[in-house]
Structure formats: structure tokens, C-alpha cells
């Protein structure tokens, strides 16, 4: 089998989290950016003896790699993923897959038509606490699920200006809370109804930008209800995640600050306020995720735990939450983004806690 050759698109914080994972898998990596940052990143790793090279032209990368890892700003995901698929390359794409469900569906359909693997990189599924939660629910340890609560928060991202423009990042819901939206659906099943609210100014105009919080209530087809809260806080805000999942037979809770962790991403290099989470384990969850993705098409391994549909549905639910926050209405979720329906939020008693 030929050596693993990966095209890494992007050289920012998340690319720095992915790159060590690829190198641990024995890959040689070609890094592509449009701003010259690829050369700097490649030089850092070349000095350590790794086979990492920089490229200024996307076509040069696509011509020779086995798979492409899209780690660029969210607005560029669709164009780059479609280019990689058109070149016949497998694709792992950072979350969210796109800013709109119709665009995510287009990427998925193109990958299916080309016969290549598309892996939406929802890395939280690979963190031990969330994987253990999924296993407990699957075993039936909690019985029928009733109420799920998730929180995620940290310093507001300021290391790249596009985060401060909700038209590019999707704001706190699409960029941050999409992690727990995906987990809630993974744990409790498909979502049929969403109500959300956002507080604070999402468009970053001040220094420092305002604190932004958001909350969303998801009603699952099973009848379970998920409450999700997100925070983009002050520069000294500690990154923290929690969950509290209750069922007829039990309760499971987790608080990331209660478990000692250590930074295992970016080889110790990170920008100020970078909110890439840590994990109390010896193997990076990014490494675990990328290994599972590569094995699925390279070694005949099992299908990755994140499917194309999972990535699309996470975008669809987050998109509905953004719309609900904008309009104050409950959004009913159907199979296609064009069929989203809204009703007055006061007609849904499940949202009363969020609305207070």
C-alpha cells in the first residue's frame, strides 16, 4: 500500500491540531493556503524531521494526495470540498460542513456521486466523556431519555477576524454550539423542533468584543428535550464543557473542569484565546478521529462514527436555531431546508425556561 499522503488545506489553529495526528499516522502532508502561512507551518515541522511541504496552488495538491483535510474558515468549506471531491479525493472537513444545510447537502451528494468518503469532523464524539455517554445510552443504562443539558463556553475567538462576522462564522450557535447540537442528536436521535435565543452583539466591533451567550431547546422525535447553552466570554474565560443527561433509569453528568487535562494539540503552539479543547488522555481525539477516517477507506475499516448525514443534520439544526434566534419563533425541522416551518414561540411550552 502506498504511503498516506494528505492535503491539508489551511494553517490556522485547527490545522495545527490536525497536523500532528496525520504525522502520527505516518503521513506525508502537503499544506495549502492562499496567504503564505503554509510555508511557515511546513518549515516548523520540516525542522523537526517531518515530511511536510507547502504549496501555493490547490491543483498541485489535489493532483497527488490520497485525501484532503479542509481546515479553512467556514465560508470556504463548500468550494474546497467540492474541488477535492471533483478530483476524486476523500475529504475530511472541519465542522460545520457549511453555513447552510442546502450547501452541506450539495457537498454530500457530490461525494456520493464520486464514490469518495466525506467525513464531517465533529471531534467531540471522540472525547472520552462523550463517547462513554453514547455507550451508556446505547446499553440502556439510563433508560428512556428525558432531558439532556449541555454547556460549552470559553473566551470569544479573536485570533482570526472572520469569527467576529456572523455572516462568515455563523455566530456562537453555528460555530460553537454545533458541537453539542451534534452530540444531542447522536445521543437522543433526530430533532423535530428548535427554539433559540442569543444575547449580546455577535458582530465584533469593539475591543474586546462583547460577551455573547446563546441557548437552544431541541425537541427530539423521541420526545426527549435537549437544552444547549453556549458562551463566547471575556479573554480570561476558562474553556469549560458540561453535560447532564437524565433518563427514566438514571443520570450521567460531566464537567471538563473537574478532570485534570493537558494540552495535546498544536505541539504547544497556539494563538491567544484559542479555544481548542484539551482532553485528559494520552492520544489526541483529533488523532483518533483522523485514524478512524483514514482506516475507513484505506484499510477497509468500519464506517466512521460521524456520517455525511450527521454533518448535514448538525448544520440543519444549527441553521434552524440561528433562524429561531433571529425571529423569536419556534422552527419545525423537516427533511429539507426549504421546508422549515415556523410558529409563534409562545405556543411551545418546552421553550419557557429558555425564554425567561
Amino acid at each position: 500500500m502506498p504511503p498516506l499522503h494528505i492535503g491539508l488545506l489551511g494553517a490556522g489553529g485547527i490545522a495545527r491540531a490536525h497536523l500532528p495526528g496525520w504525522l502520527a499516522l505516518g503521513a506525508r502532508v502537503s499544506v495549502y493556503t492562499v496567504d503564505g502561512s503554509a510555508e511557515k507551518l511546513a518549515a516548523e515541522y520540516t525542522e523537526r524531521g517531518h515530511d511536510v511541504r507547502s504549496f501555493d496552488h490547490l491543483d498541485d495538491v489535489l493532483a497527488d494526495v490520497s485525501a484532503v483535510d479542509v481546515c479553512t474558515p467556514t465560508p470556504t468549506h463548500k468550494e474546497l470540498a467540492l474541488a477535492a471531491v471533483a478530483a476524486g479525493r476523500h475529504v475530511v472537513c472541519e465542522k460545520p460542513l457549511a453555513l447552510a444545510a442546502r450547501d452541506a447537502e450539495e457537498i454530500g451528494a457530490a461525494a456520493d456521486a464520486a464514490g469518495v468518503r466525506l467525513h464531517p469532523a465533529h471531534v467531540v464524539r471522540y472525547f472520552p466523556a462523550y463517547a462513554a455517554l453514547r455507550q451508556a445510552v446505547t446499553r440502556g443504562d439510563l433508560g428512556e431519555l428525558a432531558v439532556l443539558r449541555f454547556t460549552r463556553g470559553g473566551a470569544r475567538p479573536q485570533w482570526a477576524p472572520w469569527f467576529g462576522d456572523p455572516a462568515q462564522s455563523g455566530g456562537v450557535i453555528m460555530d460553537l454550539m454545533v458541537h453539542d447540537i451534534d452530540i444531542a442528536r447522536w445521543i437522543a436521535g433526530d430533532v423535530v423542533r428548535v427554539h433559540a435565543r442569543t444575547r449580546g452583539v455577535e458582530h465584533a466591533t469593539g475591543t474586546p468584543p462583547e460577551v455573547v451567550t446563546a441557548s437552544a431547546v431541541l425537541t427530539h422525535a423521541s420526545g426527549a428535550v435537549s437544552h444547549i447553552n453556549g458562551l463566547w466570554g471575556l479573554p480570561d474565560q476558562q474553556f469549560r464543557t458540561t453535560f447532564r443527561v437524565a433518563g427514566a433509569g438514571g443520570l450521567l453528568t460531566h464537567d471538563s473542569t473537574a478532570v485534570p487535562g493537558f494540552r495535546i494539540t498544536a505541539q504547544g503552539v497556539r494563538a491567544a484565546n484559542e479555544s481548542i479543547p484539551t482532553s485528559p488522555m494520552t492520544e489526541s481525539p483529533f488523532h483518533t478521529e483522523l485514524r478512524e477516517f483514514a482506516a475507513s477507506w484505506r484499510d477497509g475499516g468500519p464506517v466512521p462514527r460521524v456520517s455525511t448525514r450527521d454533518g448535514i443534520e448538525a448544520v440543519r439544526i444549527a441553521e434552524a436555531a440561528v433562524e429561531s434566534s433571529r425571529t423569536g419563533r419556534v422552527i419545525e425541522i423537516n427533511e429539507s431546508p426549504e421546508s422549515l416551518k415556523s410558529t409563534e414561540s409562545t405556543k411551545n411550552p418546552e421553550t419557557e425556561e429558555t425564554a425567561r
Side-chain angles (χ1 to χ4, degrees):
M1 184 175 293
L4 188 61
H5 185 189
I6 300 299
L8 180 64
L9 311 188
I14 201 64
R16 286 180 172 274
H18 282 211
L19 180 52
W22 286 122
L23 296 176
L25 293 173
R28 62 187 178 102
V29 180
S30 296
V31 185
Y32 162 77
T33 63
V34 296
D35 61 0
S37 57
E39 184 176 356
K40 180 181 178 181
L41 179 60
E44 290 177 18
Y45 281 87
T46 300
E47 291 173 357
R48 302 174 198 165
H50 297 292
D51 190 357
V52 180
R53 305 175 187 181
S54 64
F55 289 83
D56 297 324
H57 299 287
L58 181 60
D59 289 344
D60 293 340
V61 174
L62 296 180
D64 194 38
V65 298
S66 311
V68 169
D69 187 352
V70 181
C71 291
T72 53
T74 303
T76 68
H77 287 181
K78 178 183 175 181
E79 179 183 359
L80 293 173
L82 289 177
V85 167
R89 308 308 178 200
H90 302 288
V91 177
V92 54
C93 181
E94 252 308 308
K95 65 78 204 165
L97 196 53
L99 288 173
R102 63 179 178 274
D103 291 332
E105 288 179 324
E106 184 178 344
I107 299 169
D112 287 344
V116 298
R117 177 76 68 192
L118 172 64
H119 178 77
H122 283 276
V123 73
V124 175
R125 293 193 184 197
Y126 296 85
F127 276 72
Y130 295 87
L133 170 62
R134 164 75 174 186
Q135 292 169 359
V137 170
T138 300
R139 286 194 305 264
D141 295 356
L142 304 185
E144 184 177 359
L145 295 182
V147 178
L148 302 84
R149 298 183 183 275
F150 300 91
T151 71
R152 183 170 302 268
R156 183 166 181 162
Q158 299 180 55
W159 59 90
W162 64 273
F163 284 107
D165 182 356
Q168 297 187 67
S169 68
V172 68
I173 292 175
M174 184 67 76
D175 187 74
L176 179 70
M177 291 169 60
V178 71
H179 282 299
D180 294 303
I181 286 171
D182 173 65
I183 293 296
R185 180 178 166 273
W186 193 40
I187 299 302
D190 284 336
V191 172
V192 297
R193 188 175 303 113
V194 179
H195 183 257
R197 289 189 64 182
T198 303
R199 298 171 178 85
V201 178
E202 296 214 84
H203 202 287
T205 57
T207 305
E210 288 192 32
V211 170
V212 177
T213 64
S215 56
V217 178
L218 315 182
T219 303
H220 298 267
S222 65
V225 175
S226 290
H227 297 255
I228 301 175
N229 292 282
L231 165 68
W232 275 350
L234 296 173
D236 60 351
Q237 178 74 45
Q238 180 183 14
F239 187 82
R240 181 188 184 197
T241 67
T242 72
F243 64 68
R244 184 179 179 89
V245 177
L251 172 72
L252 270 179
T253 66
H254 168 70
D255 185 334
S256 64
T257 61
V259 181
F262 55 94
R263 182 162 294 278
I264 52 178
T265 62
Q267 297 293 304
V269 178
R270 68 184 179 94
N273 299 324
E274 185 175 289
S275 296
I276 297 175
T278 59
S279 173
M281 57 191 298
T282 56
E283 179 176 276
S284 161
F286 296 99
H287 178 194
T288 308
E289 173 185 46
L290 297 175
R291 184 180 62 224
E292 187 175 281
F293 163 67
S296 70
W297 52 265
R298 182 175 167 83
D299 305 322
V303 174
R305 70 191 72 176
V306 187
S307 68
T308 298
R309 180 172 180 252
D310 291 332
I312 294 170
E313 293 306 313
V315 173
R316 193 188 316 283
I317 298 165
E319 185 180 22
V322 171
E323 177 68 7
S324 175
S325 177
R326 185 184 69 83
T327 64
R329 297 177 180 271
V330 171
I331 304 297
E332 305 284 345
I333 297 182
N334 296 303
E335 287 301 314
S336 64
E338 291 79 9
S339 59
L340 291 180
K341 298 177 181 179
S342 62
T343 58
E344 293 295 334
S345 60
T346 54
K347 295 180 181 179
N348 186 359
E350 295 166 349
T351 66
E352 289 179 359
E353 179 175 340
T354 299
R356 282 200 292 267

